[in-house]
Amino acid sequence: MLIYTQDENGAALIRYQGFTNIRVLKDENHFVDGLSIYKTDDQHGSNELYADAQWGGLFGDACGLVFTHYDEKKRYVAGDTVCVKPYAKSLQRFRPDVVVLNTGYAINDLYGPIIMGKEDTLRTLQMLPTAIIIASHMKTINHCLLTRVELREFRCEHGIEEQVFIPADGETLAF
């Protein structure tokens, strides 16, 4: 089975685990039948966290993926990221129709969020007013603090129920 990784470090780790059919994604990846995948720069924490010599290297590089196909809506699967300039630039560049956000609001005790939360969902919609947001990563690990219930309440408070989807475990969405 072919496995794609975001960088050579990930490929080396997977090779070490015994897998052999590995490819590292380039910034632009074009496949047959019109599918293209673009790698974006994401950041798994604040600029301050990344500048800290002790903590900065622990979170590693993060990337998002933009999927384009002439018959489909443009989709952006944001990686483990916070709302920083590289993320905003990716939204401006690609203008995706559907954005999957890790909105669990995972926290580092010293430096704050390492993935997005409910406010970042609203910020994303302010940058892409017609986009559909799919929220994921809520309460998936012990430091993900945002719950689906809290995000549903936030969604109602801001009148964005029609644009922000909060799928149940195992639910499938089609756009």
Side-chain angles (χ1 to χ4, degrees), residues 8 15 28 51 55 58 89 122 125 144 172:
E8 191 54 51
R15 279 188 202 97
E28 292 186 24
W55 284 95
L58 292 177
K89 285 181 181 180
L122 187 58
L125 282 175
C144 284
T172 301

Side-chain angles (χ1 to χ4, degrees), residues 1-137:
M1 178 173 69
L2 176 60
I3 300 172
Y4 286 94
T5 65
Q6 74 178 12
D7 57 28
E8 191 54 51
N9 290 337
L13 174 63
I14 293 170
R15 279 188 202 97
Y16 176 77
Q17 294 169 339
F19 296 92
T20 57
N21 194 9
I22 301 163
R23 289 197 193 135
V24 176
L25 286 170
K26 300 174 190 167
D27 289 341
E28 292 186 24
N29 305 271
H30 303 285
F31 301 90
V32 295
D33 297 330
L35 172 66
S36 294
I37 300 174
Y38 299 87
K39 211 166 71 162
T40 66
D41 293 327
D42 288 344
Q43 190 171 304
H44 198 15
S46 66
N47 292 332
E48 294 78 20
L49 181 139
Y50 271 69
D52 184 302
Q54 179 183 356
W55 284 95
L58 292 177
F59 289 88
D61 292 329
C63 79
L65 300 173
V66 175
F67 296 83
T68 66
H69 187 275
Y70 51 84
D71 282 340
E72 298 289 338
K73 293 181 183 283
K74 193 179 302 177
R75 290 163 170 79
Y76 178 20
V77 179
D80 283 344
T81 190
V82 292
C83 196
V84 290
K85 285 182 184 179
Y87 171 74
K89 285 181 181 180
S90 293
L91 293 180
Q92 291 169 352
R93 176 181 174 200
F94 293 103
R95 310 289 306 162
D97 304 296
V98 178
V99 181
V100 179
L101 293 181
N102 296 344
T103 57
Y105 199 61
I107 299 289
N108 171 283
D109 289 337
L110 295 175
Y111 292 104
I114 57 173
I115 64 171
M116 295 192 196
K118 59 188 177 186
E119 290 83 7
D120 300 306
T121 304
L122 187 58
R123 280 188 200 101
T124 299
L125 282 175
Q126 289 167 342
M127 290 184 269
L128 296 171
T130 61
I132 293 168
I133 306 293
I134 302 170
S136 70
H137 273 55

